Each structure stands twice: as structure tokens, then as C-alpha cells.
Amino acid sequence: MTINAATPQKKTLMTRRQFFAWAWAAAIVALGGQAIAMLVRFIQPVSTSGFGGLVRAGKVDEFTPGSISQIKAGRFFLYRMNDGSFLAMYQKCTHLGCSVPWVPDEDQFHCPCHGTLFDKTGQVLGGPAPRPLDLFSVVIKNGEVFVDTGNPIQRQKFDPSQTMKA
Ligand code: FES
């Protein structure tokens, strides 16, 4: 079979102009989609997730002043202080990372691994831990307590400015 060299070839590729027109259209559709997604997220109520995100602890009134509550889904303890403010502490020991339980009979946190003791505000009372329990930011919205478990905050001591007023 021979091919006639004089026969014009069919153009199957798009022109440069068509390519850029398609690229612009695709970019505009993508940006529009992102804008709609951001708008939907903005108008939705606060959403919560598990550890590593925003965790709903409960209604403000569920926590009596002076109480320590463990929020297992968020791996933190929520201390409602006597003045009604909140302090959220990561349950991870600042020594070697063991999970530290609250021991009501001792009125302190007591790490089972190497014995570090922490007071209600997470300050070291004794043992090898080099610093207090890390904090998480507390957000109070519509009478509910949320804790941002995405960014543990290191500190050298307790300070009342670390608490969130209800
Ligand atoms: S891991 Fe807690 S004291 Fe060592």
C-alpha cells in the first residue's frame, strides 16, 4: 500500500489558542469550585473531628468548677477551675510520652511509667518530666467547649493567662 504524499493530513491536535482557552476554562471552574467549598465551610456550624482536630468536650454547664474531666476522643483533660475558666491539658507525659492518668485519690496526675506527678494545672510536682503537661487551645462557642488538639502548646509553668474564661 502506498501513501499519496500529496494528500493533506487531518489535523487531530488542538491549536495553541484552543489549548489556552480550555486551560483558562478549567482554571476558572477549579477556582469557582474552591470558592464554593470555602463558602459552604464558612456558613456551616463548627464541625468537630477526632484527635488532631477540633474536639467538642461538652456544654459549659456539664463541667462543675474544680473538676477534672478526661475527654478520651481528644486525649486531653479539661480542668474547670474554681473561677469557671477552662484549661485543656494533653494527657501525654512530657518525659517520654506515656499516657498520664488523673488520680482523684491523690488529687494529682501520676505518670505510671517513671512516676512524675503533676498538679491540677499540669505543673510538675516531682519526677523526671522536664516541663508541665502541654496545653491545647480552648474555644467556647454557643455555650459549648471545643478544644483544638492540633497544636500542643509547650510551657514552663502555669499562668492564669493560659485559661479560657467561660
Ligand atoms: S514517661 Fe512519664 S515520667 Fe517518664
Side-chain angles (χ1 to χ4, degrees):
M1 180 176 186
T2 58
I3 298 175
N4 186 354
T7 305
Q9 297 282 323
K10 279 188 178 177
K11 277 191 161 182
T12 55
L13 298 175
M14 65 175 65
T15 64
R16 182 183 299 208
R17 180 174 295 203
Q18 288 171 322
F19 171 77
F20 283 113
W22 277 104
W24 272 110
I28 289 169
V29 167
L31 283 173
Q34 282 188 331
I36 290 170
M38 286 174 55
L39 180 66
V40 167
R41 267 207 335 230
F42 179 75
I43 61 177
Q44 280 181 333
V46 176
S47 64
T48 58
S49 57
F51 179 75
L54 198 61
V55 175
R56 179 187 176 276
K59 293 184 177 179
V60 167
D61 296 341
E62 293 173 12
F63 303 98
T64 55
S67 67
I68 301 258
S69 304
Q70 184 176 19
I71 310 298
K72 289 185 179 176
R75 303 181 197 170
F76 63 86
F77 290 94
L78 192 62
Y79 176 26
R80 185 157 198 200
M81 306 184 81
N82 289 329
D83 67 358
S85 60
F86 288 93
L87 190 68
M89 293 169 280
Y90 194 6
Q91 67 183 26
K92 183 178 173 183
C93 184
T94 53
H95 180 222
L96 294 177
C98 288
S99 186
V100 182
W102 169 251
V103 183
D105 293 344
E106 298 177 16
D107 203 34
Q108 60 191 358
F109 296 97
H110 190 155
C111 184
C113 293
H114 310 101
T116 296
L117 305 173
F118 302 89
D119 71 9
K120 279 184 167 180
T121 63
Q123 293 194 109
V124 177
L125 296 171
R131 64 176 195 277
L133 294 173
D134 293 340
L135 298 180
F136 289 130
S137 297
V138 176
V139 177
I140 297 175
K141 186 171 183 178
N142 299 329
E144 297 198 283
V145 184
F146 297 89
V147 174
D148 180 2
T149 60
N151 296 302
I153 302 163
Q154 295 185 7
R155 57 191 173 143
Q156 292 307 312
K157 63 176 186 165
F158 169 72
D159 184 280
S161 67
Q162 296 163 354
T163 66
M164 174 58 70
K165 303 270 184 253

